[in-house]
Amino acid sequence: MRRTALLVSAALLTGLLPLASASAAAGADDPPSVPVDAFEGEVPFANPPAEGLFAWGGDADDLPQLALTARADAPEGAKVLTGTYDISGYGGFTHDFAFAQPAHDWSAHKGIRFWWDGQNNGKTIPFEIKDGGANGEASELWRTSFTDDFTGWKQIEIPFTDFIYRTDYQPVGGIDQILGLTEMWGYAIQLPVGIKGQFAIDDVELYGTADQSLRASVITDSAVYPVAEGRKAAVKVSVTTTGAVPIGEPVTIAYQSDGGTAQPGKDFVQVQGSITFPAGTASGTSRTISVATLKDKSGESAETIPLKLTVTGAKAPAETPQVVIDAHGLPYLDPKLSVKKRVADLVSRLSLEEKAGQMTQAERGAIGSGGDIATYALGSLLSGGGSTPTPNTAEAWAKMIDSFQLRAQVTRFQIPLIYGVDAVHGHNNLVGATVMPHNIGIGATRDPQLAEETGEVTAAEVRATGIPWTFAPCVCVTRDERWGRSYESFGEDPALVESMETIIQGLQGRANGKDLSDSDKVLATAKHFVGDGGTEYGSSTSGSYTIDQGITKVTEQELEAVHLSPYQDAVDRGIGSVMPSYSSLDILGDDVGPVKMHANAAMINGVLKDEMDFDGFVISDWDGINQIPGDYTSDVRTSVNAGMDMVMVPYAYKDFHTTLISEVNAGRISEQRVDDAVSRILTQKFKLGLFEQPYADTSGASDIGSPEHRAVARKAAAESQVLLKNAGGVLPLKKSQKVYVAGSNADDIGNQTGGWTITWQGSSGAITEGTTILEGMRKASPGATISYSKDASAPTTGYDVGVVVVGETPYAEGVGDVGNGNDLELTPADKAAVDKVCGAMKCVVLTVSGRPQLIGDRLGDIDALVASWLPGTEGDGVADALYGKRPFTGQLPVTWPKSESQLPINVGDASYDPQFPYGWGLTTLTKAPSGGTATLAALALAAKIADKTGSTTAGRAAVTKARLLVQQKIGTTTITPAVAKPFADADHLLLTGSYAAAVAKLKEAYQAA
């Protein structure tokens, strides 16, 4: 699943906005305009925090080229701002005011205008102004647009009343989502995408005089007022002003109950009247309008009472408030009935339009304040990666989601929304939440109980912000570490993946779903069905991706043994939803060829729902149906008929809703298929208790990021550390040692948490709360000498040991594919740091990464090597292992290759010659037993007895001791293929419960060492 506010296309954004008004010139009675930009050179080309004009874009190719150009036809002065552009992603230019100077006050003016040299290209061009916040890069963005459908210079006039708050952009601090105009930081223009063009602009200025209707507004405390039948609704009406000054003129509000589905005299007492706020009334003053409802004895669906407000002297509310008489007395509302009966009753009452709404999921950034939730009877919303409220706090999340849930109360049957997020390693979109190691690190722990505990913490923190659903866990089996999503997998062995699926119980509770309504549980999603971890390198056709979203080519036997088995386990554990993969599946020998999983009826309907008996619902990936061959109508028809129950159409929810209805009416999608989909969705909503409690239960919010939760993440980080080499026992470190720390990932919380952290792709730097590895080391050894030099440029003399923390910077999905600007090599800076430190002293190298790093050419110079994976926010856990507070016990969840050319390389391969085999991991917990071959023989006998008696504890103990014997014998010598293959096979056999066979393989490895 993917989504980021920064990468939303211009076409999607501008499609939501009205065209700006345009006029040739201001009226004769207007006061003189106030210049913002004359483009004569008075404002330089400069980047923030200085004042200046600057270009921006999705990548280097998207940046427009700006120049101040002398033109005889300039509307003002001698020069205009010109530019050329060829944008594939997004791009434009900005004028930011200086951060060190006070913001500008535009509140006295009617609007902003400028001259634009029209190219008549028909493109809609967004224009933004920056309001409030700390500076121009931390302000609210308010957007409107104009259309370039003319030729030559034309003055574009935009009243400030035309601007709409940009909900997909999350500013930081001092934000109220009110266009105050008293603290303005500049403007920006986004240029057209998909054409090669040029532009010219001149004379940006403020014009006109603001009237009170701009500076004063009438607002209601809500847009929706649900009320039980027979009760009174209280509609609070307030007058507010820019700058919170008293109103200068009277404001009158005439109100009247008008229209709606409720009947006056039968369902409510009709209301009519007026309220006047006299001149001098303080901003924020309120009055209340009471609407009385009437009670009868019949069961009814919800009924609406719109309250029409006519405002004089101020800006009216953006929408008409509605009182809603709650649905009542209907069987589906009775919690004493079985879920099955409640679902059947509700489905029988729904119209096709309402059913289509339940099957539709939209992105929260696309629906503005949420009016379309009721218009389209939407069943679900999501936040993609980085789509967060402002500010990004637990309280703001709960408030935002509650506001959306309130909108659903306007619908006839008041079906609550199910809100979903990608909480893939903790509540990773929320600043300050506990961020766990990514799944690859959890797989390294080999600790199913701990995996379940990480799920419990994640569920508790997610549900406490009002979110009942996570798009996790990924139960893919990663077979090629060139894949940019490989860190989302628990490992390359399906047996390992299945053992870690205890996380599902941590998220959901008991397999029967009885715990889902608890305030600390969420619905989980097994993804991505099926084979996403097995895509062939070079098979992707998605942009510049090389392997993600490509084609998985397998035999029927390979499909079942490797990729399907984790899904059967997830179904047996009661997983509530399943998400198909973007990738295609090509089953060799069936003569069908590659089939997109979003269109694969044989796998979704046939295997998942029929053979595996999955009774939850299938949710598509982000805009996933658009990757199905054919037009949009066929995409909808094919995906729904293939078994898609809910379709994630982030910005195309209107089109999907309309198309689905049309296809059903045309008979190309059966009503039975729709009823099945809606029944599956509603079943999970009832299990979650959303009909009884649709709003956030924030009682657990104080535990978000708590010491208790972070302790679980810290333990997971410690147990995920895999000790690959430890020559001379350099680890664990001693607190008395003087330590020299270097490397790009030693002191970077963003790098150690990786992708899917705060934003979709993640980012380097202090992006959330937590402890870096360097900070953890300093806390673990107070008073000790620990020096840090990121690039190892500081003198290296006088230290006992060096710790170099290197690896990757964050990425997600195909953006991280090898070949898409990435490889498995360390950066030149990291290589230099390793060489300098390891050349000067004993050294420990930690690789903080989502996959193995190619380090073999330096392995001889490194005393200790640790695979740290992406440990999350708790760098203390890494320090715990380094200093011996917790032992190294982690084991490789994937094979560590010698070179990129070996990939793919996996346990069970006929040819297997890795740097370190699957399952490898030295330990500082206990010493290997003595006795060599004789001890192995005794362990083989113990394992055989364990097989017969079904003693898991005894069997695992025997295999573990045999494993230690092999690793001890190998020491620091090169691991040969004759050793690596049986060693890796033994770990797979251990996970499948074949203890005697595992010891036999380890005996083979021991003899070959």
Side-chain angles (χ1 to χ4, degrees), residues 591-636:
D591 298 325
V592 175
V595 179
K596 278 285 185 182
M597 280 307 308
H598 278 71
N600 201 324
M603 296 305 301
I604 298 174
N605 284 331
V607 174
L608 178 64
K609 290 184 175 180
D610 293 343
E611 293 181 20
M612 292 187 178
D613 201 26
F614 171 61
D615 61 2
F617 68 91
V618 177
I619 169 70
S620 83
D621 208 332
W622 178 277
D623 217 14
I625 67 169
N626 269 354
Q627 294 196 14
I628 299 172
D631 60 22
Y632 190 74
T633 299
S634 70
D635 291 347
V636 172

Side-chain angles (χ1 to χ4, degrees), residues 108 132 292 348 367 398 459 476 496 521 536 607 640 894 926:
S348 72
I367 62 165
C476 57
L496 174 58
K521 293 297 178 219
E536 184 178 83
V607 174
V640 173
V894 293
T926 184

Side-chain angles (χ1 to χ4, degrees), residues 875-924:
D876 284 324
V878 180
D880 287 342
L882 289 175
Y883 278 94
K885 184 174 181 179
R886 288 187 182 272
F888 281 96
T889 56
Q891 296 174 243
L892 284 180
V894 293
T895 299
W896 198 282
K898 289 180 178 177
S899 67
E900 194 174 306
S901 63
Q902 287 185 310
L903 297 173
I905 182 172
N906 295 288
V907 57
D909 288 354
S911 177
Y912 192 71
D913 182 22
Q915 189 86 64
F916 298 103
Y918 168 77
W920 184 265
L922 305 176
T923 183
T924 54

Side-chain angles (χ1 to χ4, degrees), residues 71 73 115-122 147-156 198:
R71 283 187 34 171
D73 64 345
W115 289 88
W116 186 261
D117 186 14
Q119 304 299 305
N120 201 23
N121 55 30
T147 302
D148 189 338
D149 57 0
F150 53 91
T151 301
W153 289 108
K154 181 178 181 180
Q155 190 174 49
I156 307 297
Q198 61 186 19

